Amino acid sequence: MQISMPVDAEANELLTRSPLALLIAMLLDQQVPLERAFSAPRDLVKRLGREPTAEELADFNPEQLAAVFGERPALHRFPKAMAARTQELAKLIVTDYGGEPTAIWTTASSGAELLQRIEALPGFGAQKAKIFVALLGKQLGVRPPGWREAAGQFGAEGSHLSVADIYDAESLGEVRSYKAALKAAKK
């Protein structure tokens, strides 16, 4: 299956083929536009001149990684903090999953276990973890028993609540409408 975020084809191809890039994009998807977060892994690859592995990011000099994140245009609104969080994520992948990001989901025996693993990742709170479980299930076919229940409302079939539900321009519009309605209701 192909990830289809509102970013260019090169960025979508990287997100589809690289589990680490997808995890980094999801990590960065806070306090910046969706397009920025999901383009950032492609920009990181371009700045480094290669696709980094989890081991490489884990071992990267923190100040140098922050500088890479901070090059204009910055990969995130808070480049230094997000470079550090990306490095924390990479270290956890190396330590707990042998450097293989896909092991987070391919070895989970249930949706509940998958959700627990994702919630344990740096920068993934309860809601973001549910959204990522939904994205894995809906767009990448990662469906351990109970994945929809673990994803909560984000796992519902036919919903348009989050990045898990973005497949094209129309679905992007529906997700944005939903989020705008939520914001309006809070006011």
Side-chain angles (χ1 to χ4, degrees):
M1 300 176 107
Q2 176 76 27
I3 298 290
S4 185
M5 294 294 160
V7 295
D8 67 34
E10 183 183 4
N12 274 317
E13 191 276 325
L14 177 64
L15 295 170
T16 300
R17 128 178 99 69
S18 170
L20 181 58
L22 186 61
L23 282 163
I24 292 170
M26 195 69 188
L27 170 71
L28 298 177
D29 188 25
Q30 58 186 26
Q31 299 183 332
V32 295
L34 169 77
E35 293 85 354
R36 185 72 209 118
F38 284 86
S39 293
R42 180 216 46 219
D43 296 342
L44 178 62
V45 166
K46 285 183 177 182
R47 290 174 188 187
L48 295 176
R50 67 196 170 287
E51 279 186 47
T53 63
E55 291 88 352
E56 182 180 357
L57 288 174
D59 293 338
F60 220 94
N61 176 292
E63 290 79 25
Q64 289 177 341
L65 188 58
V68 170
F69 268 65
E71 287 177 31
R72 294 199 181 267
L75 298 183
H76 193 275
R77 181 176 171 196
F78 302 108
K80 186 174 182 179
M82 287 305 185
R85 194 164 282 164
T86 298
Q87 193 162 44
E88 288 174 46
L89 173 66
K91 287 178 180 179
L92 186 139
I93 291 168
V94 169
T95 302
D96 293 0
Y97 299 100
E100 282 300 321
T102 56
I104 296 168
W105 50 87
T106 59
T107 61
S109 62
S110 68
E113 181 181 1
L114 175 58
L115 179 63
Q116 182 180 24
R117 288 176 176 196
I118 294 171
E119 283 179 331
L121 300 175
F124 284 73
Q127 182 167 313
K128 185 180 280 196
K130 288 178 181 180
I131 291 169
F132 196 69
V133 168
L135 185 146
L136 289 170
K138 290 178 173 182
Q139 296 201 28
L140 296 178
V142 175
R143 299 176 178 155
W147 74 271
R148 282 194 192 274
E149 294 79 8
Q153 66 179 350
F154 304 105
E157 197 167 337
S159 66
H160 291 93
L161 308 177
S162 71
V163 296
D165 303 309
I166 298 173
Y167 302 97
D168 56 20
E170 183 180 336
S171 59
L172 172 64
E174 290 179 33
V175 168
R176 287 209 163 126
S177 292
Y178 169 76
K179 289 187 176 198
L182 277 183
K183 254 186 180 174
K186 285 183 181 180
K187 291 181 181 179

